[in-house]
Structure formats: C-alpha cells, structure tokens
Amino acid sequence: GAGVSQSPSNKVTEKGKDVELRCDPISGHTALYWYRQSLGQGLEFLIYFQGNSAPDKSGLPSDRFSAERTGGSVSTLTIQRTQQEDSAVYLCASSLGGPEQFFGPGTRLTVL
Amino acid sequence: KQEVTQIPAALSVPEGENLVLNCSFTDSAIYNLQWFRQDPGKGLTSLLLIQSSQREQTSGRLNASLDKSSGRSTLYIAASQPGDSATYLCAVKNDYKLSFGAGTTVTVRA
C-alpha cells in the first residue's frame, strides 16, 4: 500500500487477556519501529527492527510485551496478560533506514 | 537520556495570527529533528525534517529553525487557519530512535 497500515484500529479487551497488534510497513522499508502514546505520557519508543539484525527491545516496558517481524515485513506486537496501564495508542513506523520515519494511524488499545 | 520539552502545552489564537511553537532538547548529539502534526484519533503526519547540519527548513506557511548547540527548535506557522488546529509534536533522532516532546495543542479560532 501507499503508507503504513495497522490493525485493528481499535481494540477493547479485558484485563488479563492477551492481544496482538499488527503493522504492515511501507513496501521495501527495512526499518520498523513501535511506539506507545499513553495519556499524559507522550510518545515513547518500544522496539526497533532493522533488516535481519537482532531487534532493539530496550523500550519494552515489561516481559509481557514482545514483538516479531516475519519475513522482514509485517510485524506483530503482542501484549500478554494485559493490564489497565497498557491502555494507549500503539503506533508503528517504518523507514528505508534514512532520516525520516513514516507513521501508521495507530491502534487504540483499551483494557477494561 | 534525551529529554524533549515543548512549550507552550496549549495555544489558542484567532485566525490569521502567526503561531510560534518551541521545542528544546537536552542532548545536542542528534541526527535530525522532525516536526509532526497529529489530529485527534489519527496518526502522525510529518511536516518538516531538519538535518543536524541544517539551520532551517520551509514548506509553504511553515518554517522550522534548529539551533543544535543550544538544543532548541522553533516551528513558525504563518497566517494561521482553523484547519491548522491540531497537536504539534517535536521529535529528535539519536541513533535510530525518536524522542518526542509532549506536544503543543493548537486551536485556531475562526
């Protein structure tokens, strides 16, 4: 597609359930990023994938969070045993490794 | 750790007035600085990107300056319009990560 796409656009789940968020980067982009935007917290970096290199997971807030990128394209962010503080907008971005990152529309996660 | 601050947090102006949004950052070893626009419930739209070697960038009514040594950037929006109402985010790039400010929410009154 023309831009970064994310699904679902909205997700409501119950505390303790697992969720999967999907990101389709721009075709050909080798770098993929996940960010989280929490109310009152601003945007924070979660994880970075670059080609076949080991991902930088330094921003993941706990071991309940994990992400994978299959075939150097689609990425899935998984949150296990969701907590209310996980409620946020999760944004994905991709780039060719150059200066600019292109963002998707985000997934709004609400944990009840 | 890079800290990015945006002032003011919110701004309300009448249509036609010029807007001045400020961004400051603590670590001047940046690759670039990017200004984004975010509309409610939407993702981020890139407005301007300034490389660390540049002093400013312009696009239409938008002009952004960068003073890397002092850790400051300013976004100017000339002759504001109601359609400019949004949240504006400043982000600096160290290595590959972007560090964001909390944003300035702008309301342009018709």
Side-chain angles (χ1 to χ4, degrees):
Chain A
V4 178
S5 61
Q6 293 186 244
S7 60
S9 55
N10 280 284
K11 176 72 176 178
V12 180
T13 191
E14 293 179 350
K15 178 181 172 182
K17 301 277 183 147
D18 298 351
V19 295
E20 285 189 351
L21 312 180
R22 176 187 169 106
C23 171
D24 284 87
I26 293 172
S27 179
H29 279 195
T30 56
L32 188 146
Y33 311 77
W34 283 97
Y35 294 87
R36 178 170 73 173
Q37 187 173 31
S38 305
L39 195 62
Q41 294 277 2
L43 264 151
E44 57 178 335
F45 165 82
L46 296 178
I47 189 168
Y48 162 68
F49 295 90
Q50 173 60 56
N52 295 321
S53 303
D56 176 352
K57 306 179 183 180
S58 61
L60 294 179
S62 78
D63 58 9
R64 295 186 296 104
F65 287 72
S66 63
E68 63 177 20
R69 188 177 185 193
T70 54
S73 181
V74 172
S75 177
T76 302
L77 177 68
T78 301
I79 309 172
Q80 296 178 308
R81 304 181 303 282
T82 52
Q83 304 293 314
Q84 288 182 330
E85 62 263 28
D86 300 334
S87 296
V89 176
Y90 290 82
L91 289 162
C92 174
S94 70
S95 81
L96 275 169
E100 195 167 2
Q101 295 181 21
F102 298 86
F103 282 78
T107 292
R108 180 174 297 277
L109 174 66
T110 303
V111 182
L112 301 176
Chain B
K1 180 188 172 187
Q2 178 73 270
E3 301 285 345
V4 183
T5 304
Q6 290 188 246
I7 294 173
L11 189 58
S12 179
V13 300
E15 182 176 5
E17 195 163 299
N18 296 332
L19 292 164
V20 180
L21 310 180
N22 296 297
C23 172
S24 61
F25 47 94
T26 54
D27 182 356
S28 62
I30 64 171
Y31 285 113
N32 61 53
L33 182 145
Q34 208 165 345
W35 282 95
F36 293 89
R37 169 184 172 137
Q38 186 173 35
D39 293 284
K42 305 288 186 182
L44 305 180
T45 301
S46 179
L47 297 174
L48 290 168
L49 184 147
I50 313 175
Q51 300 283 18
S52 62
S53 58
Q54 296 175 318
R55 300 283 293 183
E56 67 176 343
Q57 278 286 346
T58 299
S59 175
R61 294 184 295 111
L62 276 59
N63 173 276
S65 66
L66 173 64
D67 184 341
K68 200 175 81 161
S69 61
S70 68
R72 296 179 187 276
S73 176
T74 302
L75 177 67
Y76 300 89
I77 303 177
S80 61
Q81 304 168 358
D84 295 329
S85 298
T87 296
Y88 292 82
L89 296 166
C90 164
V92 296
K93 189 174 186 181
N94 298 91
D95 296 326
Y96 44 79
K97 300 177 190 178
L98 287 178
S99 299
F100 286 83
T104 295
T105 299
V106 171
T107 303
V108 181
R109 308 186 302 273

